[in-house]
Amino acid sequence: MRRPAGEPGTLMFDIKWIRANADLFDQNLKRRGMAPLTGELLALDDERKAKVTAMNEAQEKRNALSKQIGQAKAQGDDARAEQIMAEVGSLKTEVQVFEEAARNLTEELNLKLSFLPNLLHADVPDGTEEADNVTIRTHLEPAKFAFAPKEHFEIGEALGQMDFEAAARMAGSRFVVLNGQLARLERALGQFMLDLHTREHGFTEVSAPLLVREQALFGTGQLPKFSEDAFETRDGRWLIPTSEVSLTNLVREQSLDQQDLPLRFTSLTPCFRSEAGSAGRDTRGMLRQHQFSKVEMVVVTTPDKSEQEQQFMLGCAEKVLQLLEIPYRVVILCSGDMGATMRRTYDIEAWLPGQNAYREISSVSMAGDYQARRMNTRYRNNEGKLDYVHTLNGSGIAVGRALIAVMENYQNEDGTVTIPEMLRPYMGGLERIG
RNA sequence: GGAGAGAUGGCCGAGUGGUCGAAGGCGCACGCCUGGAAAGUGUGUAGGCGGUGUUCCCGUCUCGAGGGUUCGAAUCCCUCUCUCUCCGCCA
């Protein structure tokens, strides 16, 4: 793994905070199902600081003597210059030895810190698996069907507009080909969501790279820990697993002005995931694909606004389903089911009649300063001080899964699919598919 | 893909081995001047790390990034990234 991004000496996690809150930090790891680490980390940091101090002292001596050489030469006193040169020669190796030791220790510490999970928000419930997530609220009662509702792939294949076999022939499993009205419906969903967030919710639409450097994935936290989940190209770039990566990294290595915050970005992009750990799960249909389309929301804000921004974003994502009149519930993820890079995550799960289950369709998370530290993104507050920004991200919402939700919730007994009112303008006024 | 030029503080821009973290200008902040403002004038104006220091100080590092040469590097060497110009190719 290459040296993490950021200025030399920048640490990926606030070691001073760990030092001051050792118990809290280890408790946090425990809730994440990990062993305590403060002892190891602080010992390493002590060692590192000792070497840095020793290096600084040696440099101080060297600089003072070197300065004298310059002065002697300026006065034409070459003999004295020679004498001091001989004296300072041994200091050179001393500086190098300490410098190398300090660098190695900093790298070692930073590597360890870069693997640490984020701190959990106080609201996050304890738990080890999906079943421990807590439902916050539900919206709309699932509709009762007068017939046995089908799964989306049954509907799509019967319509002749969803072709997994054609996709498999050219790309392998976990890909799909949509055509005709279903392809247009996917496009309509994306347009509808983008229009909603840009017109009603104040987000700026962004078109950004889908192929990014390793540092960008490091910045948002997908690397170094989760490299097997994404696709790497032959030239060392990566296909984004979510446009959270592109949108969040818009501010990498920047110092922002407080008055410009919050920044709110949205984007409709394909997402690429290897689904390496998901073999055998959701193999039928287009619920879990290597490539899918998603509208993403990213907010960059000051620490004090992080809390309210997450609620706002959650509301923006819910609004999509409310306008589409699809039943859903909001859950808060438990400590064991959360992503390592996040402090608190709400999932929105849409009702899928064909599966007779709620399935994740959006995830809205706060990252705190975790990503900001990795990207080295700060802001200058009104007092002129620099501090790390807070970042948040959320799907607003997953287009592929929204397509599934629409198809299953709006299916008719004759195999047709009614088009939700809100989408009809995007479908040329079409009222049903099939 | 080939040839060349470049990257210095918030911005512009000097600086080719020795008190250079960096002249000068612009901008910004505060003060003086003014009835008020402009003009003029004075002062200040990066960040990281460390220090059993804590409104102020000390040390160190940072002139795109990383490494090297040297007693000493913005300045010399190597690698990388990015920008620009010309040629080729191309949607």
Side-chain angles (χ1 to χ4, degrees):
Chain A
M1 180 73 202
R2 186 183 308 171
R3 187 179 161 67
E7 290 183 28
T10 302
L11 293 175
M12 294 302 115
F13 208 104
D14 191 353
I15 189 76
K16 288 177 188 165
W17 189 92
I18 296 176
R19 190 173 289 281
N21 302 279
D23 288 345
L24 267 176
F25 179 79
D26 278 339
Q27 269 173 34
N28 188 67
L29 290 180
K30 191 177 176 187
R31 294 183 65 198
R32 295 262 196 189
M34 295 172 68
L37 279 171
T38 49
E40 180 187 342
L41 293 172
L42 293 181
L44 192 56
D45 188 45
D46 284 339
E47 207 181 332
R48 175 186 139 264
K49 287 202 288 192
K51 295 297 181 195
V52 167
T53 300
M55 175 185 77
N56 281 351
E57 283 167 359
Q59 283 171 331
E60 183 179 358
K61 278 192 270 181
R62 182 200 66 192
N63 290 349
L65 289 173
S66 289
K67 219 167 244 186
Q68 288 178 28
I69 295 172
Q71 285 168 347
K73 287 217 166 177
Q75 291 162 8
D77 190 349
D78 285 353
R80 181 167 155 67
E82 292 287 336
Q83 185 195 334
I84 305 173
M85 272 190 221
E87 202 177 324
V88 81
S90 65
L91 275 173
K92 190 189 170 187
T93 50
E94 194 179 328
V95 169
Q96 282 174 336
V97 167
F98 286 133
E99 189 179 8
E100 198 186 337
R103 185 170 49 223
N104 289 341
L105 287 165
T106 301
E107 264 175 33
E108 189 184 341
L109 180 62
N110 237 342
L111 190 63
K112 283 193 191 330
L113 292 176
S114 71
F115 277 89
L116 292 177
N118 207 337
L119 300 168
L120 293 166
H121 190 283
D123 292 355
V124 174
D126 276 316
T128 55
E129 55 185 17
E130 203 179 326
D132 298 323
N133 298 340
V134 176
T135 300
I136 307 266
R137 58 176 167 267
T138 58
H139 177 81
L140 295 182
E141 280 297 307
K144 300 215 172 17
F145 285 79
F147 55 96
K150 295 192 173 81
E151 291 210 55
H152 70 280
F153 50 86
E154 299 174 284
I155 304 165
E157 285 176 329
L159 286 168
Q161 298 183 17
M162 188 179 281
D163 192 340
F164 294 95
E165 286 166 23
R169 285 197 298 275
M170 71 175 98
S173 65
R174 291 204 190 281
F175 286 93
V176 68
V177 171
L178 301 177
N179 59 63
Q181 293 158 339
L182 225 40
R184 186 173 189 181
L185 183 60
E186 183 186 41
R187 179 160 57 94
L189 279 163
Q191 305 304 321
F192 162 68
M193 295 175 203
L194 276 182
D195 284 347
L196 177 67
H197 299 318
T198 56
R199 289 178 188 164
E200 311 292 330
H201 298 149
F203 284 80
T204 301
E205 183 173 350
V206 175
S207 174
L210 307 179
L211 209 50
V212 300
R213 286 183 203 290
E214 187 182 48
Q215 296 98 292
L217 272 96
F218 181 90
T220 34
Q222 281 84 12
L223 293 179
K225 223 175 168 179
F226 306 101
S227 57
E228 66 283 0
D229 294 338
F231 292 108
E232 185 177 11
T233 63
R234 291 177 61 184
D235 68 352
R237 275 178 251 264
W238 297 71
L239 283 163
I240 57 169
T242 157
S243 44
E244 166 200 346
V245 175
S246 311
L247 295 180
T248 309
N249 276 282
L250 282 173
V251 295
R252 67 174 293 114
E253 294 157 51
Q254 299 287 307
S255 293
L256 309 166
D257 283 325
Q258 177 162 5
Q259 61 193 25
D260 296 331
L261 302 176
L263 296 170
R264 296 194 177 104
F265 302 121
T266 186
S267 186
L268 167 62
T269 70
C271 304
F272 304 92
R273 298 189 183 176
S274 70
E275 296 296 345
S278 314
R281 290 178 60 193
D282 303 312
T283 49
R284 292 216 61 187
M286 53 181 287
L287 194 75
R288 191 177 299 277
Q289 303 273 283
H290 288 310
Q291 175 189 326
F292 61 94
S293 178
K294 180 162 61 68
V295 170
E296 183 73 6
M297 304 177 286
V298 162
V299 169
V300 179
T301 187
T302 52
D304 60 308
K305 297 285 197 308
S306 207
E307 188 77 31
Q308 72 189 61
E309 287 296 330
Q310 192 184 18
Q311 302 305 329
F312 169 71
M313 293 170 76
L314 181 59
C316 293
E318 285 180 72
K319 189 74 181 173
V320 173
L321 290 170
Q322 288 165 8
L323 290 173
L324 293 176
E325 298 179 71
I326 289 171
Y328 68 84
R329 68 181 184 192
V330 178
V331 304
I332 182 168
L333 298 194
C334 73
S335 56
D337 197 33
M338 267 183 65
T341 61
M342 296 303 156
R343 291 198 175 164
R344 181 176 65 194
T345 297
Y346 295 106
D347 273 6
I348 301 175
E349 300 177 339
W351 176 252
L352 300 185
Q355 284 203 4
N356 195 39
Y358 284 100
R359 295 301 304 257
E360 178 189 343
I361 199 163
S362 171
S363 193
V364 179
S365 303
M366 64 156 71
D369 66 0
Y370 189 90
Q371 295 177 325
R373 284 179 174 276
R374 294 168 157 255
M375 298 189 300
N376 195 23
T377 303
R378 295 174 298 174
Y379 76 101
R380 199 172 289 282
N381 67 24
N382 294 333
E383 284 81 57
K385 288 269 177 74
L386 282 171
D387 193 11
Y388 289 104
V389 297
H390 277 203
T391 58
L392 302 101
N393 63 81
S395 13
I397 57 178
V399 174
R401 290 190 176 179
L403 182 79
I404 295 173
V406 166
M407 290 176 70
E408 294 199 6
N409 282 282
Y410 282 83
Q411 62 179 298
N412 302 307
E413 189 162 15
D414 62 0
T416 62
V417 176
T418 303
I419 296 171
E421 294 277 356
M422 295 303 295
L423 294 179
R424 290 181 191 172
Y426 296 90
M427 295 293 288
L430 195 67
E431 290 180 12
R432 67 168 55 196
I433 291 175

